[in-house]
C-alpha cells in the first residue's frame, strides 16, 4: 500500500508527540494523575455544588443568626398588588410579601437587594441568594423596601436592627397549603475580585442554617 505525503506528515507529527510525551518525567505524570483524581472526586461528591446541610426548622418570630446577619420573619402574606410600591402581580402569579427584622452582624454596611459600596451581600436577587424560597421558585426579581415606608435603597448599618419587607412574584399555585418556607444560608465571605478591586467583599451561600416556616395570610 502506498502512503501519501499527507499521511507521512501526520505520522511524523504523531511520532514527535510520542517522543515528547515519553520524555516527560514520571513524577509529572504522578502529580497530574493525583490532581485529576482529586478534581473528579470533588465533582462526584458535589464539592462544586451549593453546600446543603440539614436545616433546623423554625417558626415566625424566631431569630436565625448566622456569622454575618440575623433574620427574624415577622409576617408573610399573599396579595395581588402593593400600591405603595407600585407592584402588581402578572396574570398567573401572586406576590409573596414577607416582613422581617434583619440585623447586619458584619463590620460594614450591607444592602438588601443591592450592593453597598464594595460589599456584595447577595441576600436576594442573585443566582444563589442567601435568602431562598424553598418549595417554589420566584418568577422574577424581588422588590425590597423598609417596612416603615421610608424611601431609598435598603442598606443595613452594622449592629442596627431594621424591619425590611421583601416581595417575590411567584406562581399563583405556589405554597398552596398556605405555609411558606424560606431557607436561610450561612455566608461564605470572600475578599478580592479580579479586575474590580482587591477590597471587594462577596458573601456566598455556604450551608443552610435554618428553614423558616410561616403560615401566610391573604392580604386585604
Amino acid at each position: 500500500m502506498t502512503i501519501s505525503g499527507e499521511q507521512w506528515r501526520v505520522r511524523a507529527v504523531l511520532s514527535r508527540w510520542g517522543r515528547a510525551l515519553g520524555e516527560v518525567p514520571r513524577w509529572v505524570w504522578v502529580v497530574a494523575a493525583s490532581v485529576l483524581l482529586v478534581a473528579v472526586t470533588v465533582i462526584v461528591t458535589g464539592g462544586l455544588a451549593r453546600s446543603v446541610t440539614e436545616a433546623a426548622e423554625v417558626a415566625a418570630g424566631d431569630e436565625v443568626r448566622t456569622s454575618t446577619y440575623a433574620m427574624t420573619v415577622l409576617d408573610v402574606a399573599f396579595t395581588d398588588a402593593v400600591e405603595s410600591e407600585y407592584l402588581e402581580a402578572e396574570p398567573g402569579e401572586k406576590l409573596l410579601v414577607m416582613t422581617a427584622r434583619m440585623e447586619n452582624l458584619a463590620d460594614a454596611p450591607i444592602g438588601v437587594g443591592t450592593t453597598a459600596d464594595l460589599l456584595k451581600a447577595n441576600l436576594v436577587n442573585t443566582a444563589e441568594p442567601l435568602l431562598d424560597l424553598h418549595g417554589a421558585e420566584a418568577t422574577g426579581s424581588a422588590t425590597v423596601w423598609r417596612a416603615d415606608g421610608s424611601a431609598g435603597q435598603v442598606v443595613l448599618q452594622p449592629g442596627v436592627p431594621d424591619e425590611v419587607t421583601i416581595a417575590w412574584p411567584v406562581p399563583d399555585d405556589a405554597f398552596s397549603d398556605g405555609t411558606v418556607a424560606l431557607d436561610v444560608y450561612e455566608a461564605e465571605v470572600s475578599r478580592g475580585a479580579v479586575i474590580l478591586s482587591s477590597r471587594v467583599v462577596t458573601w456566598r451561600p455556604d450551608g443552610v442554617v435554618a428553614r423558616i416556616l410561616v403560615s401566610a395570610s391573604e392580604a386585604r
Side-chain angles (χ1 to χ4, degrees):
M1 182 178 65
T2 303
I3 300 177
S4 66
E6 182 64 28
Q7 289 175 318
W8 277 115
R9 283 192 292 272
V10 172
R11 286 191 174 187
V13 171
L14 294 176
S15 178
R16 287 197 298 270
W17 285 357
R19 288 196 299 271
L21 292 175
E23 294 172 357
V24 175
R26 180 174 296 180
W27 66 267
V28 174
W29 291 112
V30 173
V31 172
S34 300
V35 171
L36 180 60
L37 179 61
V38 171
V40 170
T41 302
V42 169
I43 294 173
V44 170
T45 58
L48 299 180
R50 182 170 180 162
S51 176
V52 178
T53 57
E54 190 68 26
E57 293 187 354
V58 301
D62 293 337
E63 182 182 61
V64 176
R65 293 180 75 85
T66 74
S67 61
T68 53
Y69 67 99
M71 174 89 173
T72 305
V73 172
L74 304 176
D75 179 69
V76 174
F78 293 125
T79 186
D80 294 326
V82 181
E83 294 183 1
S84 62
E85 299 300 318
Y86 306 101
L87 293 178
E88 187 172 352
E90 297 291 335
E93 297 178 351
K94 60 187 175 184
L95 297 175
L96 191 167
V97 183
M98 177 179 293
T99 299
R101 182 171 59 251
M102 301 184 68
E103 183 178 355
N104 174 14
L105 304 180
D107 57 3
I110 63 171
V112 182
T114 186
T115 297
D117 194 16
L118 295 177
L119 198 158
K120 299 178 181 180
N122 290 331
L123 292 168
V124 295
N125 291 338
T126 67
E128 294 184 323
L130 270 63
L131 302 176
D132 196 17
L133 296 176
H134 179 82
E137 190 169 336
T139 56
S141 298
T143 302
V144 181
W145 66 92
R146 293 187 186 278
D148 61 9
S150 57
Q153 293 183 328
V154 180
V155 176
L156 303 179
Q157 299 298 324
V160 182
D162 205 348
E163 290 191 10
V164 178
T165 299
I166 306 173
W168 288 273
V170 296
D172 195 47
D173 59 355
F175 305 111
S176 57
D177 62 355
T179 300
V180 173
L182 178 75
D183 283 345
V184 179
Y185 282 81
E186 177 63 80
E188 178 184 2
V189 180
S190 62
R191 299 180 183 276
V194 178
I195 300 175
L196 293 180
S197 171
S198 61
R199 295 185 296 132
V200 171
V201 177
T202 305
W203 294 2
R204 293 185 174 87
D206 186 33
V208 181
V209 175
R211 179 166 297 153
I212 303 176
L213 303 176
V214 187
S215 296
S217 61
E218 293 291 338
R220 296 181 176 84

